[in-house]
Amino acid sequence: MKNNGVILFQLLLENQFRINEMKEKHNKHRKHAIAVGISMVVIIIMLAGYSFALGFSLGRMGIGQVIPSYGITIVSVITLFFTVFKSNGIIFGFKDYEMLVSLPIKTSTIITSRFLYMYVMNTLFAAVVMIPLGIAYYIFESPTGLFVVIWLCGILLSTMIPTTLAAVIGAIIVYVSSHFKYTNACVTVLSFGFVIGILGVSVRMGNVNTTTLDVNQLSKIGELISNQSKSLYPISTLFEKAVIQGNVSALLLFILISAGWYFLFQKVLSLRYKAINTAIMTHSATSNYKITKLKTSSALTALYKKELKRFFSSTVYVLNVGMGAIMALVMTIGIFVLEPARLEELIQISDLNNILIKVISFVFSAVLALSCTTSVSLSLEGKNLWILKSLPVKTKTIVDSKILVNLTITVPIALLFGLLMNIKFQTDIVTRIMFFVTPVIYSLFVAVWGMFLNIKMPNFEWESETALIKQGIASMMGMLGGSFFAMFPILAILFLANQSYQMIQIGATSFFAIVSILLYQFIQKYKL
């Protein structure tokens, strides 16, 4: 008979990968599930190819010995960074919490099943990164006979500590926020603070003083990379010793620390798990409500306000979809504040100022495109879709309200970008105008592109809001697709140096404007 934790974990996986839908030959969602699977395979192949290219490059440089510590550090930092956002919605405050706690199941069993789900998903990512790196390491370094066993242990344990640590950080953020009136707003602010802190530490520890390094001294570069990896993730030292030296004691200590940290996490969290979830899912209401003047507004305004509140009420929604806008804002301020000489030193590109003038509008647009709320806004209605369908409003009004929310997030930053870039750079009038026009047009394109994807690939039967936003095919295509399209004008400007970059800017921007109009006309015909 299966353990309760295993059953709960199995149900989570079946729901995530839509296994039951795949089994039904005539299910209307089967094609969608197959499309999601194909897209995931493509992404996995691309990520694996990039990882192998990275490991192969390090090997060709003669510093393949840094691959173990470097690889496990990359996996651990990325896992920590993204899992913090997942914990609130998978381990805490998930949809079926009240049903599960009413069953005769131990709290530790619920925690184990939810944590195991996150751990397995993170470990799949680790495998995609670490296996190609391991192949590259094997080609160049000719490791000991225990290499395969040690590397496999590294893959299985590389995400254990960061996943656990992310859950702890998520628990702290959620528990502290639950004591404030505006819990979700507090969670969002603290989470953004954590993200900025992680980025700051990573940048600081990744700074290299190139003036003290001779590029021909590859051993020094390898030593530098190894030291930076160990500073960022100290336990990588044990894994490195186990791989390079075949040190079994280091491997056993690595396993002991990883497993011990998890068991400690489970025991401690079990003590406060119900209290944390109760605090998250309990909402207070004012008791001194008084009826005064009631304000009325148009249907579009009312739906727009509802959508805006929906966006800011969801921490997962804000952190994942709003991150592109924050990154675009930080990039804009950074370029405006830093002197050209300092930028050239940081990016290691000569004549950077002239290059930036030509491509910065599309680079900024590519970053801003990561904020695509419309790719999931319709699906987020979920089982409440009937409410929208019963309203005496046109589908166009509903769609417009969702598009307006996306524009509210992106257009102000796009206009600020245009203003600061005009102050920063001394250039011709056409480029100055395009500093404003290109990002605004691209913001409109991203909004309608996301809405188009959500209409073509809706998912109203989701169980986890986190999974829908972070792992939904429409969400990924909305964010990554918008950035991908912005790459073509950048490449055209860089490779067609003999052509007028202003004409390429105008042509590309006009193209995105036309496509936006055509997509919007298609969206207008949509019926719920």
XYZ file of all heavy atoms in Angstrom, residues 7-19 116-117 120-121 124:
159
model
N 1.336 9.317 -2.377
C 0.077 9.527 -3.108
C -0.139 11.010 -3.392
O -0.492 11.400 -4.517
C -1.115 8.962 -2.301
C -0.993 7.435 -2.187
C -2.434 9.341 -2.956
C -2.026 6.806 -1.287
N 0.088 11.848 -2.384
C -0.079 13.292 -2.567
C 0.912 13.824 -3.602
O 0.561 14.658 -4.451
C 0.115 14.014 -1.232
C -0.950 13.777 -0.159
C -0.566 14.471 1.134
C -2.311 14.273 -0.634
N 2.144 13.338 -3.528
C 3.173 13.758 -4.482
C 2.801 13.325 -5.896
O 2.951 14.088 -6.857
C 4.522 13.156 -4.071
C 5.589 13.278 -5.112
C 6.106 14.517 -5.456
C 6.076 12.150 -5.767
C 7.088 14.634 -6.429
C 7.058 12.257 -6.735
C 7.560 13.502 -7.062
N 2.293 12.120 -6.032
C 1.893 11.602 -7.341
C 0.762 12.431 -7.940
O 0.759 12.724 -9.143
C 1.458 10.145 -7.200
C 1.063 9.469 -8.508
C 0.657 8.017 -8.310
O 1.021 7.382 -7.336
N -0.109 7.500 -9.248
N -0.193 12.820 -7.103
C -1.304 13.647 -7.580
C -0.809 15.003 -8.071
O -1.312 15.533 -9.076
C -2.335 13.828 -6.463
C -3.143 12.578 -6.077
C -3.994 12.863 -4.845
C -4.023 12.127 -7.239
N 0.156 15.581 -7.365
C 0.721 16.863 -7.779
C 1.386 16.748 -9.153
O 1.202 17.609 -10.019
C 1.745 17.348 -6.744
C 1.191 17.974 -5.472
C 2.298 18.166 -4.446
C 0.531 19.315 -5.772
N 2.161 15.682 -9.346
C 2.839 15.485 -10.627
C 1.843 15.246 -11.757
O 1.994 15.776 -12.867
C 3.807 14.303 -10.535
C 5.140 14.542 -9.816
C 6.006 13.303 -9.902
C 5.874 15.742 -10.395
N 0.826 14.440 -11.499
C -0.180 14.155 -12.527
C -0.902 15.424 -12.950
O -1.208 15.618 -14.127
C -1.178 13.118 -12.014
C -0.612 11.708 -11.917
C -1.631 10.708 -11.401
O -2.741 11.147 -11.017
O -1.332 9.497 -11.373
N -1.169 16.292 -11.979
C -1.839 17.546 -12.295
C -0.924 18.481 -13.075
O -1.353 19.145 -14.016
C -2.304 18.231 -11.002
C -2.992 19.547 -11.287
O -4.049 19.589 -11.894
N -2.381 20.639 -10.846
N 0.353 18.536 -12.672
C 1.298 19.426 -13.326
C 1.541 19.032 -14.785
O 1.535 19.871 -15.684
C 2.629 19.420 -12.561
C 3.751 20.196 -13.250
C 3.419 21.650 -13.429
O 2.767 22.260 -12.581
N 3.840 22.228 -14.536
N 1.758 17.744 -15.040
C 2.079 17.281 -16.384
C 0.852 16.816 -17.171
O 0.995 16.276 -18.269
C 3.112 16.152 -16.313
C 4.454 16.614 -15.814
C 4.875 16.321 -14.528
C 5.285 17.359 -16.634
C 6.110 16.748 -14.066
C 6.521 17.796 -16.183
C 6.933 17.485 -14.894
N -0.350 16.985 -16.597
C -1.609 16.665 -17.286
C -1.590 15.230 -17.820
O -1.966 14.955 -18.962
C -1.856 17.649 -18.427
C -1.989 19.081 -17.955
C -2.100 20.033 -19.130
N -2.336 21.386 -18.656
C -3.535 21.928 -18.529
N -4.610 21.234 -18.820
N -3.673 23.169 -18.095
N -1.153 14.308 -16.974
C -1.006 12.914 -17.393
C -2.346 12.302 -17.767
O -2.465 11.582 -18.764
C -0.316 12.096 -16.282
C 1.117 12.598 -16.108
C -0.326 10.612 -16.612
C 1.856 11.982 -14.950
N 8.725 17.692 -1.769
C 9.239 16.724 -2.729
C 8.893 17.144 -4.153
O 9.704 16.974 -5.078
C 8.674 15.334 -2.432
C 9.254 14.167 -3.231
C 10.753 14.054 -2.986
C 8.554 12.859 -2.859
N 7.706 17.712 -4.330
C 7.300 18.199 -5.644
C 8.250 19.301 -6.115
O 8.753 19.269 -7.255
C 5.864 18.722 -5.585
C 5.438 19.488 -6.810
C 5.127 18.833 -7.998
C 5.350 20.875 -6.777
C 4.745 19.537 -9.122
C 4.965 21.591 -7.900
C 4.664 20.915 -9.063
O 4.296 21.618 -10.176
N 11.783 17.772 -6.834
C 11.869 17.008 -8.084
C 11.902 17.948 -9.293
O 12.706 17.757 -10.227
C 10.688 16.016 -8.201
C 10.590 15.437 -9.611
C 10.843 14.891 -7.192
N 11.064 18.978 -9.297
C 11.054 19.922 -10.405
C 12.390 20.651 -10.509
O 12.922 20.843 -11.612
C 9.915 20.937 -10.233
C 8.516 20.325 -10.224
S 8.118 19.400 -11.723
C 8.030 20.721 -12.916
N 15.100 18.220 -11.835
C 15.029 18.054 -13.289
C 15.798 19.169 -13.988
O 16.528 18.932 -14.962
C 13.562 18.049 -13.753
C 12.735 16.820 -13.362
C 11.276 17.016 -13.782
C 13.305 15.555 -14.005
